[in-house]
Amino acid sequence: MNHFLDIHKTDAADLRAIIDQARITKDARQGRPKAALDDEQPLKDRMVALIFEKPSTRTRVSFDVGVRQMGGQTMVLSGNDMQLGHGETIADTARVLSRYVDMIMIRTFDETVLTEMAEYASVPVINGLTDRTHPCQIMADVLTYEEHRGSIKGKKVVWCGDGNNVCASFIHAAGQFGFDLTFTGPAQLDPEEEFVGLARKAGSQIIIERDVNKAVEGADLVVADTWVSMHDSQSSKERRHNMLRSYQVNEALMAQAKPDALFMHCLPAHREEEVTSAVMDGPQSVIFDEAENRLHAQKAIMRYCLGS
Ligand code: CP
Ligand code: NVA
């Protein structure tokens, strides 16, 4: 069995195999009803716990649907309603859940909740987003890029805005899949140095460029995310908007990138804030393919976790 905790903690060959597997199962579902079961049922007779300590649309629905397509059943749990939110330790919760379910997906705040869950669980644990990273999202994004444009190796990805959890997993992916990443945003919101260092050590160019127009020159992929994440305090909203306003992705900015550049956003998006509707709904946007590919990428991640 394997946990799927982060992109930089997963072997590069395994990551590539997950993307390849996702394409195979996605192709095999072509033209079938969404609720149809897959031909192979690797989760038959298995129960998967989906724990959410933060809101979710895509992660919740895509994991739930994915498990069912693979023959399994899910139990969606809110952290607040569990004893987890009322003082029971993560270690004890992990040990107890492992007696009932075959796999755990958790979306939480503090990364140590995830790592402690993985340490004490005897079943695979999957990271469904923490304050620090969002690896399932970026596996879907790599799948999406490669479906549209071929191998992502050697490409230039530009991250605009806050160096947040989704940005961190993109930086991890740069190191593991061999692409370069330029971060453009205010210095106060730079990505974590530790993550930047890891990707550079793996041979990727990670550039910090404050000039947003210069940053997107020659980009193959431009990415944005919300300016206020779920773990950020609402009281910081105005300050963040003031810092980030000049990093909005709009048509004028996209015109600086390569003509065939793609635009991605993990969603949910705030239209006319981090990105304009003209870009979100425009010909370069692949945001809904990304959302769909959460399903296919995560099914392959769950297979990897089961070792099947
Ligand atoms: N992109 C993403 O993780 O969306 P949700 O918060 O809706 O799960
Ligand atoms: N950075 C965002 C991503 C949401 C999927 C957040 O953490 O709220």
Side-chain angles (χ1 to χ4, degrees):
M1 95 171 196
N2 299 298
H3 296 305
F4 186 74
L5 301 183
D6 266 314
I7 288 182
H8 64 302
K9 294 179 183 166
T10 309
D11 194 78
D14 289 334
L15 294 170
R16 176 47 63 195
I18 290 169
I19 299 291
D20 293 346
Q21 177 64 49
R23 289 189 81 153
I24 291 169
T25 44
K26 182 175 179 179
D27 286 351
R29 290 195 61 82
Q30 282 299 328
R32 300 169 64 168
K34 294 181 179 67
L37 297 182
D38 288 354
D39 295 333
E40 284 182 57
Q41 298 279 279
L43 286 176
K44 187 171 185 299
D45 300 330
R46 312 254 190 162
M47 177 64 75
V48 181
L50 307 176
I51 305 173
F52 290 91
E53 296 199 281
K54 292 176 179 171
S56 168
T57 297
R58 281 142 288 268
T59 307
R60 179 180 169 148
V61 178
S62 59
F63 264 105
D64 203 337
V65 168
V67 170
R68 290 167 198 239
Q69 288 179 352
M70 293 163 80
Q73 295 184 60
T74 58
M75 187 175 288
V76 182
L77 302 160
S78 138
N80 248 345
D81 297 339
M82 299 169 70
Q83 299 291 9
L84 182 64
H86 300 276
E88 186 168 27
T89 67
I90 311 299
D92 288 346
T93 307
R95 292 181 182 113
V96 169
L97 288 180
S98 299
R99 300 288 178 113
Y100 302 128
V101 303
D102 301 285
M103 200 183 299
I104 299 168
M105 190 290 310
I106 180 163
R107 165 170 287 196
T108 187
F109 290 87
D110 190 335
E111 181 180 64
T112 59
V113 174
L114 169 80
T115 50
E116 212 173 315
M117 186 74 81
E119 187 178 344
Y120 292 97
S122 55
V123 298
V125 173
I126 298 175
N127 177 357
L129 179 144
T130 69
D131 294 359
R132 223 174 161 209
T133 61
H134 195 6
C136 290
Q137 178 67 52
I138 283 26
M139 293 301 283
D141 294 352
V142 170
L143 174 63
T144 306
Y145 184 86
E146 295 198 337
E147 278 181 342
H148 284 272
R149 295 284 183 268
S151 173
I152 197 164
K153 198 173 166 120
K155 300 294 181 187
K156 176 177 174 177
V157 174
V158 179
W159 179 276
C160 298
D162 179 13
N164 63 14
N165 45 4
V166 181
C167 177
S169 289
F170 244 117
I171 290 172
H172 295 151
Q176 297 283 55
F177 287 97
F179 59 85
D180 297 328
L181 187 140
T182 297
F183 168 83
T184 183
Q188 299 95 309
L189 300 177
D190 272 352
E192 288 186 43
E193 268 177 39
E194 179 196 334
F195 293 160
V196 169
L198 270 177
R200 284 184 179 150
K201 215 167 141 198
S204 291
Q205 265 205 345
I206 308 292
I207 294 167
I208 310 282
E209 171 58 65
R210 303 284 167 224
D211 181 334
V212 65
N213 287 296
K214 212 164 148 200
V216 295
E217 270 172 23
D220 296 288
L221 170 62
V222 178
V223 194
D225 187 16
T226 179
W227 289 341
V228 188
S229 283
M230 291 183 273
H231 59 269
D232 292 320
S233 81
Q234 277 303 310
S235 63
S236 67
K237 186 173 171 183
E238 197 182 330
R239 187 174 52 85
R240 289 178 150 270
H241 277 230
N242 288 338
M243 279 194 284
L244 287 159
R245 197 159 287 123
S246 56
Y247 295 93
Q248 182 193 64
V249 179
N250 48 42
E251 284 177 302
L253 188 69
M254 284 304 290
Q256 313 286 321
K258 279 192 185 157
D260 70 342
L262 297 178
F263 170 75
M264 288 193 189
H265 190 307
C266 65
L267 305 179
H270 302 80
R271 286 172 180 260
E272 318 313 333
E273 292 182 9
E274 70 268 13
V275 57
T276 59
S277 286
V279 171
M280 279 185 74
D281 303 326
Q284 289 165 288
S285 172
V286 288
I287 55 175
F288 298 113
D289 293 339
E290 280 181 90
E292 176 184 341
N293 280 337
R294 293 292 303 277
L295 168 66
H296 306 295
Q298 287 157 193
K299 285 167 71 179
I301 289 168
M302 288 190 277
R303 271 178 179 268
Y304 159 78
C305 288
L306 292 171
S308 65

